[in-house]
């Protein structure tokens, strides 16, 4: 059995990103990179909450480990049993996430973060003249020239004046 957490766009409620959660382990949510679900929102704590499946009760639970707690149905809570389609806010001003159970998982494409028409694919090309101009500007600039001289001086010190 799996569930899905969706980060929602605050403007229109559309999913921006999906993460699959399993019953076999606790899934951590927060701003810090060591979390299973990393949310880049300044109002979300580094370690904000976790989701786990309670085998005894046969239900998903979300538990806050942050002082910001969780907000559901305009109420601040520390722990919340999750049901399919629930939208939870991480803290009073943080982002909104939606929980979907196993049945909804099959309908989701976890790889999709943007959509576009395959017939209207943009063609990307590199402007080689602009690239050459920008490289020349960087190479002839004061910073690069000073760096180049500093490297030459350092090499001379390492090899000695005889070599």
């Amino acid at each position: 059995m799996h569930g899905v957490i969706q980060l929602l766009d605050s403007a229109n409620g559309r999913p921006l990103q999906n993460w699959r959660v399993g019953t076999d382990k606790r899934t951590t949510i927060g701003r810090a990179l060591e979390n299973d679900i990393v949310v880049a929102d300044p109002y979300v704590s580094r370690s904000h909450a976790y989701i786990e499946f309670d085998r005894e009760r046969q239900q998903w639970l979300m538990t806050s480990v942050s002082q910001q707690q969780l907000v559901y149905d305009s109420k601040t809570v520390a722990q919340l049993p999750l049901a399919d389609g629930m939208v939870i806010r991480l803290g009073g001003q943080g982002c909104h996430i939606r929980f979907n159970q196993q049945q909804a998982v099959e309908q989701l494409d976890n790889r999709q973060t943007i959509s576009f028409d395959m017939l209207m694919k943009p063609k990307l090309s590199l402007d080689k003249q602009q690239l050459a101009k920008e490289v020349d500007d960087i190479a002839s600039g004061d910073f690069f020239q000073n760096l180049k001289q500093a490297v030459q001086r350092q090499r001379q010190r390492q090899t000695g004046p005889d070599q």
Side-chain angles (χ1 to χ4, degrees), residues 72-120:
Y72 175 71
D73 199 22
S74 301
K75 295 178 185 89
T76 302
V77 295
Q79 188 176 57
L80 186 64
L82 298 175
D84 191 45
M86 285 180 76
V87 175
I88 301 106
R89 186 174 209 159
L90 300 177
Q93 297 180 41
C95 60
H96 288 88
I97 58 173
R98 180 185 306 139
F99 175 76
N100 291 303
Q101 291 185 17
Q102 174 72 21
Q103 296 82 2
V105 173
E106 285 78 27
Q107 299 169 5
L108 298 172
D109 181 357
N110 288 339
R111 298 166 295 155
Q112 184 175 352
T113 55
I114 61 171
S115 62
F116 63 94
D117 185 349
M118 289 297 285
L119 300 174
M120 301 295 291

Side-chain angles (χ1 to χ4, degrees), residues 1-4 19-24 53 60 99-106:
M1 179 187 297
H2 288 88
V4 170
W19 295 271
R20 192 177 291 248
V21 293
T23 58
D24 55 335
F53 187 75
W60 293 92
F99 175 76
N100 291 303
Q101 291 185 17
Q102 174 72 21
Q103 296 82 2
V105 173
E106 285 78 27

